[in-house]
Amino acid sequence: MTENLDNIKKQFYEELNSVNSYAELERVRVAYLGKKGLVTEQLKNLRYLTPEEKKTAGMMVNSLKDEIEQAIISYQGTLKEKEYRKEIEGAERYDFTIPTNRELGTLHPITIVQRRIEEIFMTMGFIIEDGLEIQTEYNNFEAVNTPKDHPARDMQDTYYLENGQLLKTHTSAAQNTIMRKYGAPKKGEHLKVLFPGRCFRNENVDASHENTFFQLEGMMIGDDISIANLIYFMKVLLTEVFERDVKIRLRPGFFPFVEPGFELDINCAICGGKGCPTCKNSGWLELLPCGMIHPNVLRMGGIDPEKYTGFAFGLGLTRLAMMKYNIKDIRLFNSGNLKQLKQFTR
Ligand code: DAH
């Protein structure tokens, strides 16, 4: 008898597990618990036993009956899930929001590079700030230590509005606002900010000059910042962006808002250093001007230069994208030439 019940149980579970619909489940239920079902038969057979045997055997058959009943009830839940899954995986699935006959867009190469750099710096604790594109002359020049009549203004001619404001020539224009917004960092902390943005200059447009381009500026201020910190962050940046070892060259450079100031150049990936129009035949591309923030700039930003130092860098984002994607002509970026622009995906 026990053996018989074991076999019924085994057979039941085998059948149950292959059930895929409510109709099949009902068929299995009838086959075991129906009037002529296997378990019902066993119950009927009890009458041939002695009262003693009946007691134990009855308990066993009844407990199998209960078990099978329970299993069938809980399998209804499994079925519901199976049907639901079939529904969402099935061929009859539509997304009415997908436009037809229309290609999906891609990110602009500048956006891709910008986001990548933002990610890198955010992991190093930098916050991202946005700067205005229309700026006051004060923010763009005076506040970064470039007073009226300073010769450095010559290189940054731009478009002036009738109200005296201008289209910003560099992301440095946001330095003062950011320093004032956050103030000097607390003891043991640093002010670490990254601020990318669109810049404008009155340029004669050619393969490497545009009137509208992107920069990405960074600043780190604290009571213990030195050139060593600057070099470290620049190295991390370039290694991550190019995903390879790039050759770099550091040489003194003048910018009114830093002292000392540097030009960090990277070898031209387009000509491999031999010289081409993009690198003005020098084999090097000026990519990362940087330096220690000038005391006047800190002071104008409301930060005491006797107590704090900091570094700043102004990365040519457009130029960096040219290097990374081997784009020979800067004019592609603003060309709206989707056929070419959509080639860049990461
Ligand atoms: N603003 C400069 C330019 O557009 C770039 C620059 C140089 C930014 C040095 C900096 C810096 O923050 O430290 O030419």
Coordinates of all heavy atoms in Angstrom, one line a residue, residues 183-184 218 231 282:
G183 N 32.3 79.5 -1.4 CA 33.2 80.1 -0.4 C 34.3 79.1 -0.2 O 34.5 78.1 -0.8
A184 N 35.2 79.6 0.7 CA 36.4 78.7 1.1 C 36.0 77.4 1.7 O 35.0 77.4 2.5 CB 37.3 79.5 2.0
G218 N 38.1 73.1 -14.6 CA 38.1 72.5 -13.3 C 38.9 73.3 -12.3 O 39.8 74.1 -12.7
I231 N 49.1 68.1 -11.3 CA 49.6 67.1 -12.3 C 48.9 65.7 -12.1 O 48.6 65.1 -13.1 CB 51.2 66.9 -12.1 CG1 51.8 68.3 -12.5 CG2 51.7 65.8 -12.9 CD1 53.3 68.3 -12.3
S282 N 53.1 71.3 -35.8 CA 54.1 71.2 -34.7 C 54.2 69.8 -34.2 O 55.1 69.4 -33.4 CB 53.6 72.1 -33.6 OG 52.5 71.6 -33.0

